[in-house]
Amino acid sequence: MKNILVIGSTGQIGSELTMKLRREIPGSTVVAGYIPGAEPKGILLESGPAEIADVRDGATLAGIVARYRIDTIYNLAALLSAVAERKPLLAWDIQMNGLLNILEVAREKGCAVFTPSSIGSFGPETPHDGTPQDTIQRPRSMYGVTKVATELLSDYYFHKYGVDTRSVRFPGLISYVTPPGGGTTDYSVEMYYAAVKGEVYTCPIGAGTFMDMMYMADALRAAVQLMEADPARLRHRNAFNIASMSFDPEILAAAIRRQIPSFTFKYDVDPVRQAIANSWPDRLDDRCAREEWDWAPQFDIDRMTTEMIAGLRKKFGIQA
Ligand code: AKB
């Protein structure tokens, strides 16, 4: 992994992954791919090359891959679950037609490809507690449908053409750097923002709704560690369950109150997001990732909460 294209480099995951790769992979060129309207700024723009890379434009992708001799593509272009329900055709176009363009370029130019899957790839019939690596995947959301299809198509390109595709099923990702947009798990990030700003938070997900969540530092490490893993050890590829914590809004609020005792919140449940959340697992079993590429999370809810609060206070210039 030396010459890397990150597609979706200005998004929630991409903005931090691009910088991590630039910092941590010596001698690498990491191209920040973006779409017009989501241009990289600041350190992301100044620290390396940036190119317009719309997944729906295969010819442009092929040009970038050839020009920079790209060997690894992180494909982070996606509409998240709630917004994909509002725009299902656009979600399909980006997530599926876009993926096909990337896999075709990868097949022709010999690139490895990471395209994240999600806890959203599971559905109501999936066992919800200790969700196994290999189990029923019959999601009811468009986001979930595209994520299952992403897993299958990525495996297809590996088995048929030998394209080195690898992936994880990300939980809800929590970070203070770039906010997520339009996900079902976003309430967790929003709760931290409200707590640090001294606001009362209105939670769209009901009490008792458990979902897997993960601090961004663990998620980024997982992606890079999997792409660097010894292929001989991988019995699975697309995509590995990974997990670090599972909570409902009450548990998260209690963790925040341990550090900001004045924090308060109320509920105004959004039926669309609640229905999606109800269909997702409560807690994944990630033993295959642990066995096949030594996955191990480093952040629990309290360590994450300490970092989130410190990071947001710094971002907004708020004193403790
Ligand atoms: C979402 O909520 O849509 C995402 C996800 C879990 O994939 N954060």
Side-chain angles (χ1 to χ4, degrees):
M1 195 160 63
K2 222 165 170 1
N3 297 326
I4 302 166
L5 171 61
V6 179
I7 296 174
S9 68
T10 58
Q12 191 204 12
I13 305 174
S15 56
E16 293 186 61
L17 180 65
T18 305
M19 294 309 301
K20 178 183 173 74
L21 293 166
R22 283 180 179 163
R23 267 194 318 269
E24 294 181 7
I25 302 193
S28 65
T29 298
V30 182
V31 180
Y34 65 95
I35 50 168
E39 286 79 5
K41 296 188 181 74
I43 187 77
L44 189 58
L45 180 63
E46 288 149 20
S47 58
E51 297 281 349
I52 292 178
D54 186 330
V55 286
R56 293 166 296 177
D57 177 356
T60 300
L61 294 180
I64 297 169
V65 167
R67 198 155 62 252
Y68 290 92
R69 299 180 190 279
I70 297 294
D71 54 58
T72 304
I73 301 173
Y74 285 89
N75 167 26
L76 306 174
L79 295 190
L80 293 184
S81 52
V83 83
E85 279 310 278
R86 289 201 304 275
K87 301 177 182 175
L89 299 187
L90 182 60
W92 182 269
D93 199 22
I94 293 171
Q95 268 118 268
M96 299 321 309
N97 296 331
L99 175 63
L100 203 56
N101 285 335
I102 290 167
L103 291 171
E104 272 300 292
V105 171
R107 179 176 71 80
E108 282 167 12
K109 312 275 190 207
C111 307
V113 180
F114 176 89
T115 308
S117 184
S118 158
I119 54 172
S121 68
F122 297 111
E125 293 93 3
T126 304
H128 276 214
D129 193 22
T131 304
Q133 171 66 39
D134 301 308
T135 186
I136 302 164
Q137 288 182 281
R138 304 287 294 177
R140 304 254 174 101
S141 68
M142 178 51 101
Y143 181 69
V145 168
T146 64
K147 288 300 174 188
V148 176
T150 292
E151 294 186 11
L152 293 173
L153 196 59
S154 298
D155 268 348
Y156 178 82
Y157 267 72
F158 170 66
H159 290 297
K160 181 142 179 120
Y161 302 118
V163 177
D164 187 0
T165 53
R166 307 180 190 193
S167 175
V168 296
R169 295 177 181 135
F170 277 138
L173 300 184
I174 298 178
S175 157
Y176 60 83
V177 178
T178 307
T184 302
T185 58
D186 294 5
Y187 86 85
S188 52
V189 179
E190 293 162 4
M191 201 182 265
Y192 282 110
Y193 273 72
V196 165
K197 290 178 174 175
E199 295 167 356
V200 177
Y201 180 59
T202 303
C203 185
I205 299 294
T209 310
F210 280 77
M211 288 184 275
D212 280 286
M213 302 279 183
M214 184 174 287
Y215 190 51
M216 185 61 84
D218 273 337
L220 300 181
R221 213 164 28 75
V224 175
Q225 196 176 327
L226 175 58
M227 292 311 281
E228 288 178 340
D230 175 0
R233 286 181 64 197
L234 301 181
R235 286 184 295 109
H236 297 86
R237 278 181 169 265
N238 301 284
F240 283 91
N241 283 1
I242 53 169
S244 62
M245 62 187 96
S246 166
F247 54 71
D248 81 330
E250 297 288 326
I251 291 174
L252 181 59
I256 292 174
R257 276 198 206 106
R258 284 196 280 280
Q259 304 194 33
I260 305 179
S262 59
F263 171 61
T264 55
F265 79 111
K266 59 187 181 190
Y267 291 102
D268 182 9
V269 171
D270 168 19
V272 174
R273 278 179 281 179
Q274 186 64 47
I276 294 173
N278 289 346
S279 75
W280 287 359
D282 295 355
R283 190 181 57 83
L284 299 186
D285 176 339
D286 63 359
R287 271 176 295 180
C288 289
R290 290 172 185 265
E291 284 163 18
E292 293 177 41
W293 49 278
D294 307 320
W295 156 247
Q298 293 176 351
F299 285 81
D300 61 14
I301 193 167
D302 286 318
R303 186 171 174 211
M304 172 177 78
T305 298
T306 302
E307 289 222 357
M308 282 296 291
I309 291 173
L312 288 172
R313 280 185 174 145
K314 192 166 173 206
K315 183 171 178 165
F316 295 116
I318 296 170
Q319 301 291 328

